[in-house]
Amino acid sequence: MATGVAAWLPFARAAAIGWMPVANCPMPIAPKDSNSKRKDELIVLNVSGHRFQTWRTTLDRFPDTLLGSSEKDFFYNEDIKEYFFDRDPDAFRSILNFYRTGKLHYPRHECISAYDEELTFFGIIPEIIGDCCYEEYKDRKRENLERLQDDQEENKDMKLPNMNCRETMWRAFENPHTSTMALVFYYVTGFFIAISVITNVIETVPCGSTANQKDMPCGERYTVAFFCMDTACVMIFTVEYLLRLFAAPSRYRFMRSVMSIIDVVAILPYYIGLVMSNNEDVSGAFVTLRVFRVFRIFKFSRHSQGLRILGYTLKSCASELGFLLFSLTMAIIIFATVMFYAEKGSSSSKFTSIPASFWYTIVTMTTLGYGDMVPKTIAGKIFGSICSLSGVLVIALPVPVIVSNFSRIYHQNQRADKRRAQKKARLARIRISKSSSANTFLHNKCNGLLNELLELTDTEEDEQKLNKSTSLLESQHHHLLNCLEKTTAHEFVDEQIYEQNSLDTAVQNYHSRSPSLNSNDDGSVGTCCGCRTKRNTPLPNASMPCSDPVPTQQRPLQELSAIHIGSGESQTTSRSKLNLKTNDNVRINCKGGRITTAIISLPSPPALNLDADSLRGPPQRRPPPPPGHPAAPSIQTTASSAVTNIFKVSAL
Amino acid sequence: MGLDGMEVIAIAVVIGLFVVVLKQFGVWEPLSLEDSCEGDLELSMVRHQPEGLDQLQAQTQFTRKELQSLYRGFKNECPSGLVDEETFKSIYSQFFPQGDATTYAHFLFNAFDMDRSGSIRFEDFVIGLSVLLRGSVTEKLRWAFNLYDINKDGYVTKEEMMAIMTSIYDMMGRYTLPSVRDDSPYEHVERFFQKMDRNRDGVVTIDEFIETCQKDENIMASMQLFENVI
């Protein structure tokens, strides 16, 4: 139904009386309008304190939206007799205007995603935005989508733990900043591209005359040296191409891509030259092939983002470029014909044919004006001046379109770079704020269990001290996490304690390997990121954001592979992921952490049986230190890495 | 000095460019500028204010509040206060998407536009609605007769009825069950005239029409159908 003309429906129905005398059969009964007694009344819409008033019939014009249907009754507040919406009043203005005028406008100062959300909330599809605002809306939406796509693509760069050699290599090729090897490779290839190009250029420079001959180019004078240089470069490029081909996830697609074609074209001339170096007949073709060596300079586009942007711009402006070309061709042909016929009369004119006049037209229209062909007749001069004036126009028209396209893409790229640079800091800050909530959970667990211990030892003052007032929301959240722990019979722990426990269990189970383990541990710490050394020392309060999340993931992996805990390696990898999510940079307010190893050595539950559910319960709360353990455990360490313990215990 | 062919063309081109430049300065053909100004003035004058609320209340059967509500809806749809035929046709067509309602809308427009001004003012609109919704049966029948009488001469001929019937069947569109045959309107008109035309003179007068309709139960019942539309 045409909702926009709902206001005219009563009229259309009344006009139906005109059919009645003509009809031969009785009419159906009209639907009863139970609300007919409810005369048109004013409705108050309270949007975050701003009161909007309108007639009820205005809202009823669009019955498939929130305000036009009975859905708004959910928002009716009996006390104030108003419909209350907890939304943005500025955006609501344009939405209410839609009901009033039937046209939806997009306010330009509004953020596109905020506006979209408002529209979705009120049940209005954005497609009915009026023509006046629709293009702007679509442009902004597209811009936003591109931005989101950029972010998504960066997320894909996160290293998955299970990448094999081939995928690692491909990632290193595509994104040189991922590892030092990739960076080295990147710079080396760049250097050799530059060397190759410079060599090609210098080859042709006259090098000074020898005794017997005149100036000859350097290439012929120092043939061997240049040949060696060329060979070295080509070898590097060949190796690089083959490695890329090997590492590519889809070899066929890689071979069809532009960059690989450039690579092939860059190195082929050399090989072809090798094959037919001594054949005089084809030496002419061989010389031509050398021209293709200059394509090596295009390999720089992997190294330069600006070049890539330029190429992308030209590709996206293909239609404008095509139009430019077409209009230029038309103008050239027209003016060349005119000039030819105008200059036909004059003697010794250079305009011998129309194609010959093409050269004059092109030179004139691009305002080059070499002067090798000039018109001599008056008519020729008149037409020649018109030609040059129109040339300026024809070229100047499509150029701003191309320029604006380039500018848009360039700025977009710059924005993406800026976002990428800021992203790490942003993520780190977000992670801190998130981890503090996980922090409080573990903290509260410590305190809660500590409270229970203290209850037994009857120190009420300490208990009250530790009972910091947590908000209702927090306590409910913690209760939820607790429920999850009980459900899965696992516990959330601090990553550091978990790792230490995994180390310690290894110590317990593989006594002979302990010295090598220690060295391994140190070794693993020494390599890679300097963050690792810091992470080893438990700081009581600070949560230190390590800006590069990769090492934290790698660390448990490396150690595990060093320690060779046979059982459940995959379990631990997934566990480490869970650790990363919940408590990435957490340092809970508990010291030490060696208590749990003792639990394994003593399979029987300890004296304190606070929790009677299972074997797993009691081991978590072990105040008295078992004999024979080197480190002195402290009571506060109750957050144990129960994971390894649990499956170890069950293995026992 | 003899002029070459190309030189003639060149000189012609130069003169043409000269004229173009002159036009830019407004020196050439100054009259064209004045015409465009007047055109703009005409459009802005078209606006209409209705008569006062009291007069309308006297002329129609609507209450004050109803008139207010009606005027608000009317003014919302047509801010200039007038409905021209094209707008009317497009609005009415939206209610009958399957068929072509433009012809019938044209007849309706003429029925509402009592002073034949080419546009419906609010007064016409509300007076027509008052008859249709609040009038007596006789008044409604009179209105329907006025609709059928295209040239408003007091007689409904077969041709007029044929036109009306065709336009009504046009609103049905193509996809009907059973399909609208080409002679469906004609048969319908024949039946109508058999019923209405008492003295078999080929035209239906207002009295014949009212008399016949009052005797038909179906028609009388259907006249009351839209009593409480507003």
Side-chain angles (χ1 to χ4, degrees), chain A residues 185-186 188-194 196-197 200 233-242 244 254 258-268 292-305 307-308:
Chain A
F185 183 77
Y186 175 78
V188 162
T189 44
F191 174 70
F192 272 97
I193 295 173
S196 163
V197 168
N200 284 344
C233 295
V234 168
M235 266 181 10
I236 302 265
F237 295 152
T238 317
V239 163
E240 180 204 354
Y241 179 70
L242 289 175
R244 274 184 208 264
F254 172 73
V258 176
M259 287 311 301
S260 89
I261 292 178
I262 291 178
D263 288 339
V264 168
V265 169
I267 60 179
L268 261 187
F292 284 97
R293 289 191 305 175
V294 81
F295 273 80
R296 288 179 197 166
I297 205 170
F298 282 116
K299 287 166 69 75
F300 263 132
S301 63
R302 278 213 186 93
H303 296 70
S304 156
Q305 204 185 30
L307 262 185
R308 277 201 300 270

Side-chain angles (χ1 to χ4, degrees), chain B residues 99 146 150 204:
Chain B
N146 187 39
I150 296 176
V204 178

Side-chain angles (χ1 to χ4, degrees), chain B:
Chain B
M1 39 187 194
L3 286 175
D4 232 343
M6 286 307 285
E7 285 185 1
V8 171
I9 297 176
I11 293 172
V13 165
V14 167
I15 293 175
L17 288 175
F18 191 60
V19 165
V20 167
V21 169
L22 276 185
K23 261 199 204 167
Q24 269 302 102
F25 282 109
V27 178
W28 193 267
E29 289 180 311
L31 300 166
S32 57
L33 288 170
E34 281 171 22
D35 279 342
S36 53
C37 277
E38 274 181 5
D40 293 328
L41 277 174
E42 262 185 49
L43 285 169
S44 56
M45 293 276 271
V46 175
R47 204 180 85 80
H48 180 75
Q49 276 176 330
E51 297 169 21
L53 203 50
D54 299 319
Q55 282 132 308
L56 280 178
Q57 223 181 336
Q59 285 176 323
T60 67
Q61 314 264 15
F62 290 119
T63 66
R64 221 178 158 79
K65 272 199 161 216
E66 286 169 343
L67 279 174
Q68 283 177 337
S69 174
L70 278 171
Y71 185 67
R72 275 202 307 273
F74 184 81
K75 183 99 178 149
N76 238 344
E77 295 296 325
C78 317
S80 61
L82 291 173
V83 190
D84 63 338
E85 190 163 341
E86 286 311 310
T87 322
F88 187 83
K89 278 183 179 168
S90 70
I91 292 174
Y92 198 73
S93 304
Q94 296 210 29
F95 291 106
F96 305 100
Q98 294 106 324
D100 175 25
T102 45
T103 331
Y104 186 71
H106 168 75
F107 294 133
L108 256 188
F109 187 84
N110 285 335
F112 270 91
D113 185 15
M114 291 174 302
D115 54 359
R116 296 303 190 116
S117 60
S119 55
I120 297 181
R121 304 164 300 154
F122 182 63
E123 293 91 333
D124 303 330
F125 179 73
V126 98
I127 288 172
L129 270 186
S130 163
V131 165
L132 286 172
L133 298 175
R134 302 288 156 95
S136 66
V137 177
T138 320
E139 287 174 351
K140 290 181 190 174
L141 287 171
R142 216 178 276 276
W143 188 90
F145 186 84
N146 187 39
L147 172 69
Y148 303 146
D149 186 10
I150 296 176
N151 54 4
K152 312 284 182 246
D153 60 355
Y155 299 102
V156 174
T157 63
K158 269 200 182 159
E159 290 80 17
E160 289 174 337
M161 208 55 218
M162 194 59 198
I164 300 269
M165 201 64 74
T166 323
S167 68
I168 293 180
Y169 274 88
D170 280 342
M171 281 198 285
M172 292 295 295
R174 274 182 23 181
Y175 304 107
T176 56
L177 195 68
S179 310
V180 173
R181 299 188 316 268
D182 286 337
D183 52 353
S184 305
Y186 182 71
E187 280 182 28
H188 206 136
V189 170
E190 287 298 314
R191 260 179 291 154
F192 180 79
F193 263 79
Q194 270 193 337
K195 204 163 60 166
M196 299 280 167
D197 193 6
R198 288 300 157 93
N199 53 4
R200 302 270 176 259
D201 56 356
V203 294
V204 178
T205 62
I206 181 83
D207 303 309
E208 285 176 343
F209 182 72
I210 293 179
E211 203 187 311
T212 319
C213 287
Q214 278 174 336
K215 294 214 183 84
D216 188 332
E217 285 173 5
N218 277 339
I219 296 178
M220 294 308 281
S222 57
M223 281 293 171
Q224 322 286 354
L225 202 58
F226 296 111
E227 290 277 273
N228 47 4
V229 164
I230 290 195

Side-chain angles (χ1 to χ4, degrees), chain A residues 72-142:
Chain A
K72 63 177 183 285
D73 295 337
F74 285 102
F75 297 93
Y76 188 69
N77 190 327
E78 297 290 343
D79 306 325
I80 52 178
K81 296 261 185 294
E82 290 173 350
Y83 291 90
F84 184 78
F85 296 96
D86 206 5
R87 312 289 296 186
D88 183 15
D90 288 332
F92 189 75
R93 270 186 55 238
S94 49
I95 288 175
L96 193 53
N97 274 334
F98 165 62
Y99 286 92
R100 292 180 179 142
T101 62
K103 288 203 283 270
L104 182 62
H105 295 282
Y106 169 60
R108 271 150 181 79
H109 62 267
E110 197 76 41
C111 169
I112 183 75
S113 43
Y115 190 69
D116 255 348
E117 274 177 28
E118 292 296 313
L119 284 185
T120 320
F121 181 83
F122 286 104
I124 300 173
I125 49 170
E127 270 66 32
I128 48 179
I129 291 182
D131 286 335
C132 40
C133 300
Y134 193 60
E135 286 167 24
E136 168 90 16
Y137 173 80
K138 273 293 173 200
D139 283 341
R140 298 267 296 256
K141 194 145 187 202
R142 192 173 24 99

Side-chain angles (χ1 to χ4, degrees), chain A residues 210-260:
Chain A
T210 61
N212 48 351
Q213 284 170 339
K214 55 178 172 49
D215 266 351
M216 53 191 229
C218 284
E220 288 177 23
R221 200 150 160 213
Y222 304 104
T223 321
V224 177
F226 279 104
F227 182 72
C228 290
M229 192 79 88
D230 206 20
T231 313
C233 295
V234 168
M235 266 181 10
I236 302 265
F237 295 152
T238 317
V239 163
E240 180 204 354
Y241 179 70
L242 289 175
L243 280 179
R244 274 184 208 264
L245 191 61
F246 165 69
S250 157
R251 299 221 169 98
Y252 177 62
R253 204 156 56 98
F254 172 73
M255 279 182 24
R256 276 191 319 175
S257 72
V258 176
M259 287 311 301
S260 89

